[in-house]
Amino acid sequence: MVEDSDGLVHPVITVKIRRPASHQQQVVELPDVAGLPANASIVLQSAQPESSSEKSVDTDAAEPVIPRLVDSAGRTIASTDQPGSADNITIETTAHPETEETQVTLRLEADQMFFDQLVEYIERTRQFEQKYTAAYNSNVNHLGTELATVTSPYKQDYQVWREIFRLYMDAEVWNRAQGDARPATSARQGQERFGKFAKHIESIGLAQKLRNPMSARLLMSFYKLNLELTHMKLLQEMNEEATRKIIKKHDKRTHLIAKTQFPRLITIDTTTLTQALIHVIYADLVGIVPQIDDYLCPMCLNIAWRPLRLECNHVFCSRCIVKASKRQMFNCPVCRSKGAVYRAGVSNIDQALLNFLKLYFPKEIKEKQRDTQRDISEEETQALALAHGKTCIIM
């Protein structure tokens, strides 16, 4: 805020330009600001000495810089050596040992111009985010298409990729669940968690186990997408904080209450975009490789081998349903649907899911079959022992 000659306080827009101390002319294009001509620029040019002899007196002394504000035609709008050329524009230059800072201050005639400019900047940010989202989604889709070729269960790198994505989900780099009550992961938190995840992958040598050269390249692309998401989230957080501070400073100097009214008029959303990008990563990349945690029996917490789908649509392994029936637990253990277990039979086996589990989890199925067979043997041995009035202990 600045006061004019009549003592009235006006909002201002300040543009700061920093550059290395140099004797060369430099032209810096300014953003479109209400009150400035379109395509205005700052011309930074060192003042020329009166004669070459004066220049040789002290070659180490930095030449003074005369900044000029020019329009698209090169006409000077304001300059430090032309006071009064534009009453609402002030240009100041501060010299430092290695840098020069030029500050252009534009005095606005009304608060409405200030808010119009702020809204315009927010709208530009949204447009940038829309373009970025489209490009990001395109990159994710491209990576997903390539990942599908190397993460097939028939490929040699399938198990390695499954372990990589399992560790990624366990690292909880981003809060991905919709309706998650936990605070949203900040850019710094996401960066730290992803860094730990990447170091863990390196420490256990998973990257070195990828045999297909294409897999190694895709892993680096996956890392890059996560880093880009971190940078985008950081940019959003910085924009939100900058907007908040600008409005707070405006209220402090004008005694207005824009900080409470402005957000109602303009929604500054810094979470929806990143949440959408996070969802894309999990759905289109991580989701390509099935994880065993999504196919566990709710009763034994092991893979639901020979999956039996009850009429309530809950899935259990056949062995657990048999045990439940023997114990006269006839209702669904999850939703308590009456008689769902009692009415279940061979026809309830989900054949499509059975084939899917055989294809993607052969190792886990073999382990489950061994456990099931051992369980059945123990039950038969105990039944024989009870029939003869003795207790048998399996070692």
Side-chain angles (χ1 to χ4, degrees):
M1 299 293 167
V2 296
E3 291 186 8
D4 59 15
S5 57
D6 298 326
L8 297 177
V9 177
H10 295 266
V12 298
I13 293 178
T14 301
V15 179
K16 290 185 178 181
I17 304 169
R18 286 186 183 145
R19 66 163 192 162
S22 172
H23 298 272
Q24 298 179 352
Q25 177 174 305
Q26 184 176 2
V27 179
V28 180
E29 294 183 359
L30 295 179
D32 292 336
V33 176
L36 284 180
N39 302 321
S41 303
I42 286 289
V43 177
L44 302 172
Q45 184 175 12
S46 299
Q48 297 296 326
E50 296 181 358
S51 65
S52 57
S53 59
E54 294 181 4
K55 183 176 180 180
S56 61
V57 172
D58 187 2
T59 56
D60 296 331
E63 298 177 356
V65 174
I66 299 180
R68 294 184 298 114
L69 178 63
V70 300
D71 59 16
S72 57
R75 293 185 295 266
T76 300
I77 304 172
S79 174
T80 54
D81 62 350
Q82 297 181 20
S85 57
D87 295 337
N88 65 327
I89 300 175
T90 303
I91 304 178
E92 299 176 347
T93 298
T94 304
H96 301 283
E98 297 181 355
T99 61
E100 295 168 349
E101 179 179 285
T102 299
Q103 177 173 301
V104 181
T105 302
L106 173 66
R107 190 190 70 200
L108 304 178
E109 297 302 323
D111 290 303
Q112 185 61 46
M113 296 177 65
F114 167 78
F115 288 112
D116 288 345
Q117 192 66 50
L118 186 57
V119 170
E120 183 180 346
Y121 285 151
I122 294 175
E123 185 59 31
R124 288 182 189 175
T125 301
R126 288 177 177 171
Q127 293 175 3
F128 167 77
E129 290 175 350
Q130 291 174 356
K131 293 181 180 179
Y132 181 86
T133 301
Y136 191 90
N137 289 342
S138 177
N139 292 336
V140 169
N141 292 335
H142 180 69
L143 179 60
T145 301
E146 292 187 310
L147 271 176
T149 63
V150 298
T151 57
S152 167
Y154 304 106
K155 300 293 184 179
Q156 54 188 358
D157 289 339
Y158 166 71
Q159 292 293 341
V160 180
W161 275 107
R162 202 178 86 180
E163 181 65 11
I164 289 174
F165 285 145
R166 184 190 69 81
L167 294 174
Y168 180 80
M169 289 188 291
D170 289 346
E172 293 187 330
V173 177
W174 310 103
N175 294 346
R176 64 186 179 96
Q178 294 183 353
D180 196 335
R182 294 175 296 175
T185 304
S186 66
R188 178 172 296 182
Q189 289 174 329
Q191 190 174 25
E192 291 177 354
R193 293 175 185 176
F194 181 76
K196 292 180 180 178
F197 158 76
K199 288 181 179 178
H200 183 55
I201 293 295
E202 186 67 25
S203 65
I204 61 178
L206 273 182
Q208 287 72 25
K209 293 180 181 179
L210 293 171
R211 299 180 181 179
N212 190 333
M214 183 178 178
S215 291
R217 178 177 61 81
L218 295 180
L219 180 61
M220 293 298 102
S221 298
F222 178 69
Y223 284 0
K224 183 179 178 181
L225 285 176
N226 277 271
L227 293 177
E228 288 180 1
L229 182 56
T230 300
H231 297 158
M232 187 61 192
K233 193 168 183 63
L234 179 60
L235 176 62
Q236 284 194 305
E237 292 174 0
M238 291 172 61
N239 286 335
E240 180 185 24
E241 182 67 11
T243 303
R244 184 186 66 80
K245 288 185 176 181
I246 289 171
I247 296 177
K248 182 179 179 181
K249 189 172 183 179
H250 176 273
D251 287 356
K252 182 178 180 180
R253 296 191 177 185
T254 61
H255 303 288
L256 297 178
I257 53 173
K259 66 180 179 181
T260 57
Q261 299 297 329
F262 188 76
R264 298 179 184 177
L265 302 176
I266 300 296
T267 302
I268 306 172
D269 188 357
T270 62
T271 58
T272 302
L273 172 64
T274 49
Q275 285 180 350
L277 299 183
I278 291 167
H279 175 75
V280 168
I281 282 185
Y282 280 94
D284 295 351
L285 296 183
V286 180
I288 290 178
V289 182
Q291 296 294 325
I292 191 172
D293 290 347
D294 297 327
Y295 303 96
L296 299 181
C297 171
M299 296 182 69
C300 65
L301 300 181
N302 205 332
I303 188 170
W305 174 233
R306 299 194 74 228
L308 198 148
R309 189 178 298 276
L310 303 184
E311 59 188 27
C312 58
N313 211 38
H314 289 117
V315 178
F316 303 85
C317 62
S318 298
R319 182 61 183 164
C320 287
I321 293 298
V322 170
K323 287 184 177 181
S325 297
K326 289 182 178 180
R327 298 171 183 171
Q328 297 186 347
M329 297 170 56
F330 299 136
N331 300 334
C332 174
V334 175
C335 66
R336 304 292 186 254
S337 177
K338 291 186 178 180
V341 173
Y342 180 78
R343 290 186 290 272
V346 177
S347 60
N348 290 86
I349 293 180
D350 191 328
Q351 192 63 43
L353 181 57
L354 176 68
N355 295 334
F356 177 86
L357 296 178
K358 288 170 64 177
L359 178 62
Y360 282 94
F361 303 101
K363 180 180 178 181
E364 289 78 1
I365 287 177
K366 289 181 180 180
E367 293 177 356
K368 181 63 178 287
Q369 288 176 326
R370 287 196 295 266
D371 293 342
T372 299
Q373 189 59 46
R374 180 177 179 179
D375 192 20
I376 294 174
S377 299
E378 289 180 358
E379 288 185 358
E380 292 176 348
T381 302
Q382 293 290 349
L384 290 173
L386 290 175
H388 291 81
K390 296 181 180 180
T391 301
C392 180
I393 301 176
I394 304 296
M395 300 300 292

